[in-house]
């Protein structure tokens, strides 16, 4: 199946963030979105989020994303704005939170994205709120991302709002 966000006039409605574009959505047999393509109102390929022309999501049985592939105008993999073609989830918890993700190029090799990392590892609290994130290169060695830190931690109040954030370099300072 294919779907579009349609306006009251019956024509594809522009996406709010990218006002001249519409989103074409393909669904799998379970009803999950698997392919998104960004199109002009005339349905020609245009760049959307991450400067890709679309994306394919590979999902597990519960509908959680295992792999995200950025697409070019010809539906072939494309390096997106982040600098990778594929984001692959390598570890997930029971709630579907991403514990580890790896960025890959078209050949499947781990690649460094523009922010300065290849692998990210995250932790969550019992409610699924992120409590820490750390960044690594393709060999698994700690790296500082372009914002200047290797690891970030967040403390939350009883409502899940961030009340404290800390940022650490590779040495833990």
């Amino acid at each position: 199946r294919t779907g579009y966000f349609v306006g009251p006039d019956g024509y594809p409605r522009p996406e709010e963030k990218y006002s001249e574009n519409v989103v074409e959505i393909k669904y799998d047999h379970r009803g999950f979105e698997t392919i998104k393509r960004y199109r002009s109102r005339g349905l020609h390929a245009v760049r959307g989020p991450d400067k890709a022309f679309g994306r394919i999501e590979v999902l597990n049985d519960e509908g959680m994303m295992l792999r995200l592939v950025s697409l070019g105008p010809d539906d072939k993999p494309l390096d997106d704005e982040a600098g990778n073609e594929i984001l692959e989830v390598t570890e997930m918890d029971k709630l579907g939170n991403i514990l580890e993700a790896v960025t890959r190029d078209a050949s499947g090799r781990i690649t460094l994205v523009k922010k300065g990392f290849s692998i990210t590892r995250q932790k969550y609290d019992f409610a699924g709120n992120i409590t820490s994130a750390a960044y690594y290169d393709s060999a698994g060695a700690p790296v500082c991302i372009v914002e200047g830190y290797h690891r970030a931690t967040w403390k939350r109040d009883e409502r899940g709002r961030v009340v404290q954030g800390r940022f650490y370099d590779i040495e833990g300072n």
Side-chain angles (χ1 to χ4, degrees), residues 14-21 23 47-51 81:
E15 187 181 56
E16 289 178 25
K17 190 170 181 183
Y18 299 90
S19 63
E20 309 228 347
N21 300 348
V23 180
R47 292 184 186 269
D50 297 330
K51 305 295 185 235
E81 187 175 45

Side-chain angles (χ1 to χ4, degrees), residues 122-135:
Q122 301 172 144
K123 293 181 182 176
Y124 300 83
D125 65 15
F126 69 94
N129 297 308
I130 190 166
T131 58
S132 72
Y135 303 93

Side-chain angles (χ1 to χ4, degrees), residues 22-23 36-39 44-49 52-55:
V22 297
V23 180
K36 289 183 183 176
R37 292 183 183 100
Y38 306 103
R39 303 290 187 235
H44 301 288
V46 294
R47 292 184 186 269
F53 292 86
R55 39 177 79 164

Side-chain angles (χ1 to χ4, degrees), residues 60-130:
N60 67 12
D61 291 339
E62 290 81 34
M64 302 296 186
M65 184 190 71
L66 299 175
R67 181 177 263 221
L68 178 68
V69 181
S70 296
L71 299 174
D74 56 359
D75 284 347
K76 295 204 178 354
L78 165 84
D79 277 344
D80 60 23
E81 187 175 45
N84 65 295
E85 293 179 2
I86 301 164
L87 176 67
E88 182 176 54
V89 176
T90 53
E91 190 177 349
M92 185 182 296
D93 68 14
K94 289 184 240 179
L95 295 175
N97 296 312
I98 297 171
L99 300 177
E100 183 179 88
V102 175
T103 58
R104 299 187 182 276
D105 61 18
S107 66
R109 290 186 310 262
I110 296 176
T111 189
L112 195 68
V113 293
K114 293 177 184 175
K115 285 191 101 174
F117 70 93
S118 299
I119 302 167
T120 180
R121 295 183 182 128
Q122 301 172 144
K123 293 181 182 176
Y124 300 83
D125 65 15
F126 69 94
N129 297 308
I130 190 166

Side-chain angles (χ1 to χ4, degrees), residues 139-163:
V143 294
C144 285
I145 60 173
V146 296
E147 285 87 352
Y149 62 91
H150 158 64
R151 185 171 65 94
T153 62
W154 298 274
K155 287 189 180 179
R156 297 175 182 273
D157 66 14
E158 64 280 350
R159 293 186 176 178
R161 293 180 296 206
V162 174
V163 294

